[in-house]
Every structure is written in C-alpha cells, then in structure tokens.
Amino acid sequence: MHQYIGGELRTGSSPVGHRVVNPADGGTVAEVVLGDERDAALAVAAAKAAFPAWSRATPAERSTKLHEAARILGERAQEFAETESRQTGKPIRLTTGFDVPGAVDNTAFFAGAARHLEGKASAEYSADHTSAIRREPIGVVASIAPWNYPLQMAAWKILPAIAAGNTIVLKPAEITPLTALLFAQACTDAGIPDGVVNVVTGHGPVAGEALMAHPDVRMVSFTGSTPVGKRIMEIASRTVKRVHLELGGKAPFVVFDDADLEAAIHGAVAGSLINTGQDCTAATRAYVHRSRFDEFVAGVADLYAKVKLGDPFDPATDLGPLVSHRQRDSVAGFVERARGYGAKVVVGGEAPGGELAAGAYYLPTLVTDVAQDSEIVQDEVFGPVLTALPFDTDDEALALANDTPYGLAASAWTRDHFRALRAAREIAAGCVWINDHIPIISEMPHGGYKASGFGKDMSSYSFEEYTQVKHTMHDITGVARKAWHRTIFEL
Ligand code: NAD
C-alpha cells in the first residue's frame, strides 16, 4: 500500500522508499513508496474530476454511502485496530476502545449530518426581492494530518468534507500512513465514487507543499504543529485558499482547593498519559492550590509509578512507546534540559531498560520546581510528561492557565459552581472541561483559540466549514425601471 488515487492503490513516484516502523520493537510494519508532487497532481486531478457528480449527489445519496462506510469500518474494526497499534505503538486497548470506535461513530455522525445543512430562511428581506441562501461545497480539499491519531485524524478530515459534497486528497504523516489508506479503501467499498477520497503518502515539504500550492485545491485543512501550520497558511495565501488549522496545545489542568482530589489525581494521570501523552489536548500543566499541592504531587507520582508499560498487543499494557525513537529522544531532551535549569523530577525522567529497551518507551514523568516561563511549561513536549506548579488565588490560577501561546483545551477541578462557571468563561481555549479532562464526542466541536489555530473538527460546526455560503437574490417586481435606479440616474 503506497498511494490511493482515483479509487486505486498505486505505487508512489518518489524515489524515496519509507519503512513504517513499529516503535515498540523497531521492527518493519510495511515498506511504502512515498509520493511526491506528481502523485499530488494526479490525486488533485482525480478529485477534481469526481467533484461535479459528487457535489450534485443528493444529501440522501451521500448519507447512505457514509452509513455503509460506517458499517464496513465496524466490520473491519479489528484490522484497523491492529494496524493502528502496529504503526504507532498504541496499546491495543486504546485502539479497540477509543481510536476505532471513535472513527466509526464519526462516520455515522457525518452520514447523518449530510442531510442537515442549514441556513437562514428564504424570504423577502427587501420588499422587491426574494433572497435565498445556498450552502455549497467548496471543491477539492487538501488535508494534512499528524501521526498521533492517524485513523481518527483521517476521519476528522475526510468525513465533513465529503459529507458536504467536496472531494478530498489527504496526506497522512509519512511515518503512519497505513490506516488512512485502509480508510480510503473502505470508502470505495461503501460505494463512494472513485476520486472522491484520495490519499497521497509523502513528506510534508514535498507532497504536502505540492498539495497546499496546487491551483485546483480550494481549501486546505491541516492538523499538526503550530510552526508547520504557519507555513501552510503562508503557502495557501498565495492562491487565496480557505484555511482550517488545528494546531498544537499545552492544556492546563487547574485544581482548586475545594476539588475532589482523588478525582483530580486520577484525571491528571489519565489525562496526561493518554496516547503516551501524544495528544494535543493532553493535560500538560497542572496548577494546584498550595494547600493541596503536596497531596496532589504524591498521588500522581504514586499512580505514575504503577502504570504498566509494555507490549502494545498485551491487553494488560497501560502505556505503549512514543511513536518513534526520534520523538522519545525529543521528550527526553525537554526533561534533561529542565533538570539543567533546576527542575525536580519527582518520578520517571528516563527510558525504561530490560525488555523495553529496544522500543521508544519513556517513563511517566512528573516535574516540579520549574518557572512558569521555562521551556517545559511553555512548549509542547508531546510525551508522558506533566509539570505541576502551586498557586495561591483563583485570579493567579486562571492567569497561569492562560499564560502560553496555545489555547486548545483545559480543565478546572472544583465543587464550586461559580468557580466552575468562571473558569469555563475565562480560560481561553476551544474546550474547557469541568471535573474531567479528555472526553470528546462527535456532536461537539474540537478546535483551538490563539496559536492552537482556528476552525473546528467534528460536529455540525466542522460540517459547515466545508461549505461556502451563497446568497441568491431574485427580483420579484418584473419592473424594468426599478425604484433604486433613481439613486444612480434619473432617466
Ligand atoms: P507536524 O506539524 O510535524 O506534521 C503534521 C503533518 O504536516 C505531517 O503530515 C507532515 O508530513 C506535514 N508537514 C510537515 N511539514 C510540512 C510542510 N512544510 N508542508 C506541508 N506539510 C507538512 O506535526 P506532527 O509532529 O505530525 O504531530 C504533532 C503535532 O500535531 C502537535 O503539535 C500536536 O499538538 C498537533 N495536533 C493537533 C491536533 C488538533 O486537533 N489541534 C490534533 C492532533 C495533533
């Protein structure tokens, strides 16, 4: 499996082969011939050719095919889960319990959404005209996805686009291309016409930039890091494409003095370690009221030490490796540098040895005694690392929560209704959880504030973003010399 273009699996044009590696043991999962600008051009041409018929299919036709796709995904759940676990190192419990059911539910959601496009009522907003709103698909969409949730990111990008009548070319991350290719095949098997869903695997600066720059692409939708997002915006601006950006995150986790501490400790452990911390909404910065700080740190450290790292295919494994050795080394680098500027590593802070030494594993790591403006508090680490800092007042806690360039997600832990409402209002993030951290749901939007980007994934909000609004205005007087002409000429 290399490229999926016009309903066919094909090889890539690039001379560069790519070994998809299982980060749990360094073994080869697949060899992929990557695509380059030639494959990007072919895929855009296939998507462009498929657009007229797909955009004119009725909502019911699109919906029926998406329901069928959801059924097929459900039937192939085990294959998707195992492939995802192999290419990312995710524990099989996570792929079978979260990644795959999430993608199936998303498909079913957008099958429903396809029949629910809405707009303002047609009416005579001027006495002489009937106005109507059309919500139309945009055309060929090019999407670029990251490696942390390859299947779910493919689903989040492809589904709202095609449900709304667009056609799409998706470029998954080069290190995790396999489940996006399987997803595109499932779409074809569900009867979605050839060319509606295409997948080009390749390097970002090569295949990715070729897609972003292509003149026949009308919208770009990107999920990934903030620096690459800026680059995408720059390229897209040259041809004035619509841009949708889901970027990095650095979620705060605010524990007030009245919080249920057992809930907060368990929430912090699950919220920081999900997907081995490679989650853009993962809890990364705990701010805990000084009166509960020591208890919180001891509780998290205790559970971190008990988390079971291991073979992703062992159902008893809690935590898998990072996605690659490179990512593991990057995470270790943040912790080493933090030690260098005086941070205290309460637990973790190293790669495990023994049977896990060959994999890209890193122990759950809790860091205290760091300054708010230090690198480990401000930048995305994207690994199983949580920092904890104390605060004294609610004002201080909320200011600290907002004090990074990011604004994707956050949580506040309190039993006080008014405190919860204040946190929900004042934390500048696209999602604020109260007394929980992480759950997402197809009906609700996911997306950022500030340097975390703009545009929403999932929900009817994302569906609408893949449409453009047209106003059609019809004269209903039949009069040649219209009253308003006299403001221009008197004849
Ligand atoms: P990345 O930005 O390095 O890569 C993302 C994608 O962009 C990959 O497919 C890559 O090939 C491509 N790319 C890289 N350079 C490119 C270029 N010059 N032109 C076009 N495409 C290019 O991110 P990553 O390391 O794969 O993923 C981790 C990042 O993704 C984190 O920052 C994380 O927060 C973010 N993320 C955000 C969300 C969200 O919903 N906001 C969800 C998941 C991940």
Side-chain angles (χ1 to χ4, degrees):
M1 292 204 295
H2 311 283
Q3 315 294 325
Y4 195 77
I5 298 176
E8 277 178 19
L9 279 170
R10 357 171 6 125
T11 189
S13 307
S14 149
V16 187
H18 181 78
R19 190 167 75 91
V20 179
V21 175
N22 181 342
D25 56 14
T28 302
V29 181
E31 299 272 358
V32 174
V33 180
L34 295 181
D36 62 16
E37 55 286 343
R38 289 165 285 186
D39 306 87
L42 272 180
V44 172
K48 190 179 177 188
F51 179 72
W54 183 247
S55 60
R56 283 181 209 135
T58 63
E61 284 163 351
R62 292 201 289 265
S63 171
T64 304
K65 291 189 181 351
L66 285 167
H67 275 302
E68 177 59 6
R71 193 193 63 74
I72 291 174
L73 290 174
E75 216 171 68
R76 299 180 188 169
Q78 194 61 23
E79 181 191 3
F80 273 97
E82 288 176 10
T83 309
E84 194 76 324
S85 283
R86 261 186 218 105
Q87 69 174 351
T88 60
K90 288 170 193 271
I92 194 78
R93 254 175 37 218
L94 185 66
T95 52
T96 53
F98 181 61
D99 294 85
V100 178
V104 174
D105 187 64
N106 241 257
T107 312
F109 173 80
F110 283 107
R115 302 180 80 159
H116 291 280
L117 258 187
E118 287 177 7
K120 234 173 143 68
S122 295
E124 290 66 49
Y125 295 96
S126 126
D128 295 345
H129 304 87
T130 295
S131 283
I133 287 295
R134 295 175 56 81
R135 269 194 175 273
E136 299 182 343
I138 294 165
V140 177
V141 176
S143 291
I144 296 198
W147 44 255
N148 59 341
Y149 290 102
L151 173 62
Q152 294 209 79
M153 292 302 110
W156 289 14
K157 297 289 164 210
I158 291 171
L159 293 164
I162 67 171
N166 304 282
T167 56
I168 188 163
V169 182
L170 171 81
K171 193 201 83 61
E174 48 274 47
I175 60 171
T176 55
L178 303 177
T179 43
L181 289 162
L182 289 177
F183 189 90
Q185 274 181 303
C187 289
T188 300
D189 296 343
I192 293 172
D194 294 349
V196 173
V197 178
N198 307 275
V199 174
V200 170
T201 66
H203 287 297
V206 181
E209 294 210 4
L211 286 172
M212 301 297 104
H214 199 293
D216 289 336
V217 168
R218 292 309 322 140
M219 173 173 175
V220 302
S221 147
F222 171 76
T223 298
S225 62
T226 299
V228 177
K230 290 180 185 168
R231 171 85 183 135
I232 302 277
M233 224 172 154
E234 211 180 285
I235 299 170
S237 73
R238 296 180 202 148
T239 39
V240 196
K241 295 180 187 354
R242 181 179 291 200
V243 178
H244 176 115
L245 297 177
E246 299 285 352
L247 307 178
K250 189 74 189 172
F253 185 103
V254 182
V255 183
F256 291 100
D257 58 1
D258 66 326
D260 173 343
L261 213 65
E262 187 189 355
I265 288 167
H266 279 81
V269 171
S272 61
L273 297 186
I274 181 165
N275 207 30
T276 317
Q278 302 160 115
D279 182 305
C280 49
T281 63
T284 59
R285 301 179 284 138
Y287 298 107
V288 185
H289 190 267
R290 200 174 296 279
S291 64
R292 316 295 299 277
F293 186 76
D294 290 346
E295 204 184 334
F296 177 87
V297 167
V300 171
D302 180 46
L303 289 182
Y304 267 12
K306 291 181 181 149
V307 164
K308 188 174 178 311
L309 278 69
D311 174 3
F313 279 83
D314 180 348
T317 292
D318 297 318
L319 201 71
L322 280 293
V323 75
S324 64
H325 286 78
R326 186 171 158 202
Q327 183 64 14
R328 194 267 309 274
D329 295 347
S330 158
V331 170
F334 274 98
V335 177
E336 277 322 302
R337 291 191 294 279
R339 278 192 171 106
Y341 51 77
K344 179 175 170 194
V345 176
V346 181
V347 66
E350 60 184 353
E355 282 179 5
L356 301 180
Y361 291 88
Y362 197 74
L363 293 174
T365 300
L366 180 62
V367 176
T368 60
D369 296 63
V370 277
Q372 171 65 17
D373 63 358
S374 61
E375 178 199 53
I376 202 163
V377 175
Q378 290 293 320
D379 293 353
E380 261 197 309
V381 177
F382 229 56
V385 177
L386 178 69
T387 60
L389 295 177
F391 68 83
D392 293 302
T393 66
D394 289 14
D395 286 350
E396 188 190 354
L398 296 174
L400 288 166
N402 283 330
D403 179 30
T404 73
Y406 297 107
L408 188 59
S411 65
W413 297 74
T414 175
R415 291 180 167 110
D416 181 323
H417 178 65
F418 298 104
R419 255 182 179 158
L421 284 174
R422 184 180 172 202
R425 191 180 68 212
E426 293 188 18
I427 296 179
C431 174
V432 179
W433 289 284
I434 303 298
N435 296 329
D436 209 339
H437 195 113
I438 286 298
I440 50 173
I441 195 78
S442 296
E443 287 83 352
M444 288 291 138
H446 165 90
Y449 277 28
K450 297 158 57 183
S452 294
F454 45 79
K456 299 294 173 192
D457 281 336
M458 305 201 292
S459 79
S460 52
Y461 293 96
S462 100
F463 182 47
E464 289 182 1
E465 285 187 25
Y466 287 88
T467 67
Q468 48 196 349
V469 175
K470 182 185 279 176
H471 170 210
T472 65
M473 196 170 196
H474 306 259
D475 168 66
I476 54 170
T477 64
V479 171
R481 297 181 179 190
K482 301 185 196 310
W484 73 268
H485 290 177
R486 280 186 222 112
T487 57
I488 316 296
F489 60 92
E490 290 281 8
L491 298 173

